[in-house]
Amino acid sequence: MTNPLFYAKIILFGEYGMIEDSQGLVVPYSFYKGTLKFSDSDSEFEKKSNQHLQKYSDFLANLDLPENFRLDVSRFKDDISKGLFFDSNIPQGYGVGSSGALVAAIFEKYCFTKHDPENISKDDLKNIKAIFGEMESYFHGKSSGMDPLICYMNLPILIENKENLDKVAIPKGEEGKGAIFLIDSGITGETGPMIQIFFEKMKTEGFRKTLKEEFIRYNNACIDSFLKKDMNPFFRNLKKLSHWAYEHFRPMIPESIFNIWKKGLDSNAYYLKLCGSGGGGYILGFTKDYEKAEKMLDGFHKEVIYRF
């Protein structure tokens, strides 16, 4: 029996802001995926993955999870001894949820109680997110559980605030001139150090004030207009959001991206924002005219994820 695939995720809106109770919009991204498999070769990748799972299983054995969400760690360990590994093409350090997909895959396969993502209530969503936060804390030190939840549900999720989240329908993409796309910064980013920088910034009153009064307002307005497919206010707020990040998230913007970020703001041809914690990996781009933006971003590897 083949194990299910777990897709990567993309935070369209809400990176960092969700820590301070902004809304967030997170979507699955099927270009990258992972699944648990038994190794039939001695490849370096498979051996390494198997060793990582071994260490991770020790961590999971010490987690005290509620009864409904307990994991069969002894079966997991037994499978690891038989060559289990995580077969994934999700790049690590790119802000697209490599550890989230692994956590979701393990939960789905080894949780004693079977849960059906299709029929999960709003309350259960909250509970599973908290469980995933504990499981993923092994990788990042602290985790909201959001990445694994998206990978597990394989549905767009609207985070309303720290307490509430719900499944949401994204407007159907069409073959228009506009696009949301990823730009490869060419370097991997590490979540931990970037979050550290954010919390350092949060110690200053001025930054806290502008985050609450500007960033969160633009961020929530972008989500609202995007879900309503109201593109004029969407791009108006997106420009403000991109400009705010250019001013206040400089350490999180990879050097290779800095000039093209400003070029987008100056020309209004496209706007950029962080994809996840930044520092490297992917950057998100939004444009009304992808052909034009593509020419201006010549030399950068790009992937279109949504057309409108």
Side-chain angles (χ1 to χ4, degrees):
M1 196 176 105
T2 56
N3 289 321
L5 289 167
F6 290 90
Y7 297 122
K9 63 86 204 151
I10 291 171
I11 298 176
L12 284 184
F13 295 99
E15 76 295 339
Y16 291 111
M18 285 190 279
I19 298 170
E20 290 301 306
D21 231 14
S22 81
Q23 290 185 354
L25 183 62
V26 193
V27 296
Y29 182 41
S30 59
F31 185 76
Y32 293 121
K33 47 195 155 305
T35 188
L36 288 165
K37 269 186 186 172
F38 286 99
S39 174
D40 52 10
S41 78
D42 263 348
S43 83
E44 204 47 45
F45 173 82
E46 293 175 11
K47 271 198 281 204
K48 235 182 181 162
S49 173
N50 180 266
Q51 285 160 6
H52 284 314
L53 290 184
Q54 238 162 350
K55 286 182 192 148
Y56 186 41
S57 70
D58 293 337
F59 169 83
L60 292 178
N62 292 314
L63 271 191
D64 187 20
L65 299 175
E67 194 168 339
N68 219 10
F69 303 103
R70 290 228 172 105
L71 302 173
D72 190 346
V73 180
S74 58
R75 183 163 67 94
F76 182 36
K77 282 179 175 289
D78 190 42
D79 284 349
I80 293 167
S81 70
K82 293 173 184 162
L84 189 76
F85 75 106
F86 190 56
D87 187 15
S88 163
N89 69 347
I90 306 170
Q92 293 185 351
Y94 264 65
V96 288
S98 52
S99 60
L102 172 60
V103 167
I106 290 168
F107 180 82
E108 194 279 332
K109 189 170 172 66
Y110 296 102
C111 186
F112 282 112
T113 310
K114 287 296 160 211
H115 301 269
D116 177 9
E118 294 283 310
N119 299 308
I120 284 177
S121 69
K122 212 169 164 176
D123 278 347
D124 271 349
L125 265 186
K126 242 177 7 188
N127 294 333
I128 289 181
K129 178 174 170 281
I131 299 299
F132 284 161
E134 287 190 54
M135 289 174 69
E136 202 188 26
S137 66
Y138 172 81
F139 301 97
H140 300 312
K142 192 177 191 304
S143 163
S144 67
M146 184 49 67
D147 285 12
L149 184 71
I150 302 298
C151 300
Y152 179 68
M153 298 293 295
N154 196 27
L155 290 167
I157 299 279
L158 173 68
I159 295 95
E160 292 155 12
N161 50 44
K162 275 182 183 165
E163 290 304 309
N164 295 306
L165 55 148
D166 212 351
K167 297 173 271 194
V168 71
I170 294 283
K172 199 166 159 30
E174 322 161 339
E175 279 305 312
K177 284 175 77 171
I180 302 175
F181 56 96
L182 296 172
I183 300 175
D184 189 343
S185 69
I187 57 166
T188 57
E190 282 187 54
T191 301
M194 294 298 117
I195 287 178
Q196 202 53 49
I197 292 169
F198 176 75
F199 281 123
E200 277 304 309
K201 282 175 161 289
M202 284 298 287
K203 288 176 184 173
T204 63
E205 197 189 331
F207 181 78
R208 285 199 306 273
K209 193 173 188 300
T210 180
L211 184 89
K212 285 198 161 72
E213 290 175 6
E214 296 179 282
F215 176 87
I216 288 178
R217 186 155 52 94
Y218 306 148
N219 175 77
N220 292 0
C222 281
I223 293 173
D224 185 56
S225 47
F226 178 69
L227 291 177
K228 288 176 180 164
K229 219 171 177 185
D230 206 346
M231 286 310 181
N232 286 333
F234 174 68
F235 275 96
R236 224 175 20 247
N237 283 293
L238 188 59
K239 179 172 187 177
K240 290 173 184 168
L241 191 62
S242 180
H243 187 268
W244 189 95
Y246 183 76
E247 293 293 321
H248 298 282
F249 278 162
R250 283 197 180 205
M252 289 83 157
I253 299 173
E255 251 175 70
S256 58
I257 299 293
F258 216 73
N259 290 337
I260 58 164
W261 194 299
K262 178 114 175 44
K263 201 166 148 187
L265 286 169
D266 291 344
S267 64
N268 294 315
Y270 59 86
Y271 302 122
L272 302 185
K273 66 180 291 298
L274 297 177
C275 178
S277 57
Y282 286 119
I283 296 293
L284 269 166
F286 299 78
T287 180
K288 288 179 179 176
D289 184 346
Y290 184 65
E291 216 172 287
K292 184 181 176 185
E294 194 178 26
K295 286 195 184 96
M296 289 175 71
L297 294 165
D298 191 39
F300 285 89
H301 176 67
K302 298 168 289 293
E303 290 169 27
V304 173
I305 59 172
Y306 182 81
R307 296 300 304 234
F308 56 88

